[in-house]
Amino acid sequence: MTLRRTLKIIIFIFIIAVIMTVLGMIFIPKFYLSDDWATTCTYREFYEQEDNTDDVIFLGSSRGACAFDPIQMEDETGLIGYNLCCEMQNVSSSYYWLKEALRSQKPKVVVLDTNYLYLNRDNNSNLFTEGTVRKAIDNMHLSIPKLEMIRYNCSVDESQDIIDYIFPILRFHDRWQELSMHDIAYEPSGLRGYNPINYNKTNDQLYSTYEDSDNRDTTAMDEEMSDYLSRINELCKTEDIRLILVSPVSNEESAARHNTTLKWCNDNDCRFIDYNITGLYNSINYNFYEDNSSGNHANISGARKMTSYLSQIISEQIVR
């Protein structure tokens, strides 16, 4: 084969790959503020900010996405942050998003929601399903962290294919009949990843706080998620970043979870903030039935209270 013919083949393959990539970005499902969760906005807008501007990066599940408002934090403390949480983001996805974020940002603090430390494939069948992990993967730019996250998820769920993630047009080509301007016209939120929830459905929910010393019961972290927590911690230490674990107000939290997380943080020199502890809950005037949108998620007023407290802790005790 001549050099000229080889170059033609390479150029042809490159053009096809570009076309498939562009089509993939059109065909993947979109999630804006008009939907329940603005995941598309969260990740696309992350890449639109300038390099080395974020002081704080938030990671974790939907609990973190609706609990922490980076714009409020900046207004109150001058610290700039970005909320990279998304619905059902497990700890492995958080790790790979941290690696991706560090390609362009140099945060002083990483805040990680603790919810998925205690979920596994036995008690949460959606942990690694395609519909779950694609929320964290599809809008990440093609990079080493993205390829690592794809490879890992496909290794734990052999029904998924690596090539479908690299070229999502192969997975979503049958969406052509439902495509609309919603898929083509990007709808930015300008909220730096924060996902406000403006409703309240807690009337039928049960909730109670617990004392820091209620008991010494513990519950084991999932081994897989614990391993990725250690990876996040090691990466933060390597990059001279302070890691803070947070448990937003939720009726899924317990004293046993608190004790396990607190011990891990004490053993690893990390800060742990549990908003379900009676003293802290009362000190920020939180009211589950007014400040939560559901049993597991804050609404706008709840986010305002939790963000304000965390912002002051970071500003006064960690960054300054």
Side-chain angles (χ1 to χ4, degrees), residues 65-73 75-76 194-198 275 284-286 290-292 298-312:
C66 62
F68 301 111
D69 179 359
I71 293 178
Q72 177 188 339
M73 181 178 69
D75 289 343
E76 293 180 356
Y194 168 55
N195 199 104
I197 300 181
N198 193 25
Y275 290 94
I284 63 173
N285 297 313
Y286 209 94
E290 295 178 0
D291 297 324
N292 261 39
N299 61 25
I300 292 175
S301 64
R304 187 176 299 117
K305 294 175 181 180
M306 287 192 282
T307 298
S308 184
Y309 178 82
L310 179 61
S311 297
Q312 290 302 318

Side-chain angles (χ1 to χ4, degrees), residues 86-252:
C86 75
E87 59 273 34
M88 296 182 286
Q89 181 187 116
N90 65 56
V91 186
S92 65
S93 296
S94 297
Y95 169 72
Y96 292 116
W97 258 111
L98 176 58
K99 292 187 71 174
E100 176 68 6
L102 294 180
R103 294 176 62 231
S104 61
Q105 301 297 326
K106 295 181 179 178
K108 302 179 181 70
V109 177
V110 163
V111 178
L112 178 68
D113 157 44
T114 63
N115 187 31
Y116 271 79
L117 290 174
Y118 298 95
L119 300 181
N120 53 51
R121 278 169 277 184
D122 293 329
N123 61 30
N124 187 322
S125 60
N126 291 321
L127 191 64
F128 289 106
T129 59
E130 183 182 8
T132 297
V133 298
R134 274 194 177 275
K135 296 288 183 69
I137 291 175
D138 277 343
N139 288 291
M140 183 185 286
H141 286 183
L142 188 61
S143 62
I144 296 300
K146 179 169 184 171
L147 294 174
E148 290 176 340
M149 177 156 46
I150 291 171
R151 180 179 58 81
Y152 174 68
N153 280 287
C154 290
S155 73
V156 297
D157 183 356
E158 294 180 355
S159 69
Q160 301 180 48
D161 292 323
I162 292 176
I163 193 68
D164 286 347
Y165 281 101
I166 296 176
F167 296 113
I169 184 62
L170 299 175
R171 177 65 178 82
F172 295 114
H173 64 275
D174 56 353
R175 287 193 68 238
W176 67 271
Q177 289 184 312
E178 60 186 72
L179 290 179
S180 67
M181 289 303 296
H182 192 71
D183 292 285
I184 300 171
Y186 172 46
E187 302 172 18
S189 73
L191 297 179
R192 301 186 66 79
Y194 168 55
N195 199 104
I197 300 181
N198 193 25
Y199 60 77
N200 184 298
K201 298 179 180 179
T202 58
N203 289 337
D204 61 346
Q205 299 285 323
L206 296 177
Y207 176 77
S208 62
T209 60
Y210 40 83
E211 299 293 337
D212 194 14
S213 57
D214 269 353
N215 56 61
R216 288 297 144 216
D217 291 343
T218 59
T219 184
M221 292 182 186
D222 174 67
E223 186 175 343
E224 207 165 9
M225 298 297 99
S226 177
D227 174 65
Y228 271 95
L229 173 60
S230 296
R231 295 190 192 196
I232 289 173
N233 186 41
E234 290 169 7
L235 182 55
C236 286
K237 289 184 182 301
T238 298
E239 299 295 330
D240 195 25
I241 298 169
R242 289 296 303 273
L243 176 62
I244 301 177
L245 270 57
V246 293
S247 293
V249 173
S250 165
N251 59 9
E252 294 184 359

Side-chain angles (χ1 to χ4, degrees), residues 251-316:
N251 59 9
E252 294 184 359
E253 290 301 318
S254 65
R257 278 191 178 191
H258 171 85
N259 293 336
T260 301
T261 306
L262 180 61
K263 182 180 186 306
W264 187 93
C265 287
N266 288 339
D267 290 344
N268 290 276
D269 192 28
C270 295
R271 182 70 180 262
F272 177 39
I273 297 174
D274 187 348
Y275 290 94
N276 301 279
I277 293 295
T278 302
L280 175 54
Y281 178 94
N282 290 335
S283 72
I284 63 173
N285 297 313
Y286 209 94
N287 185 323
F288 174 84
Y289 296 98
E290 295 178 0
D291 297 324
N292 261 39
S293 64
S294 65
N296 209 23
H297 300 97
N299 61 25
I300 292 175
S301 64
R304 187 176 299 117
K305 294 175 181 180
M306 287 192 282
T307 298
S308 184
Y309 178 82
L310 179 61
S311 297
Q312 290 302 318
I313 291 293
I314 294 174
S315 177
E316 295 175 2

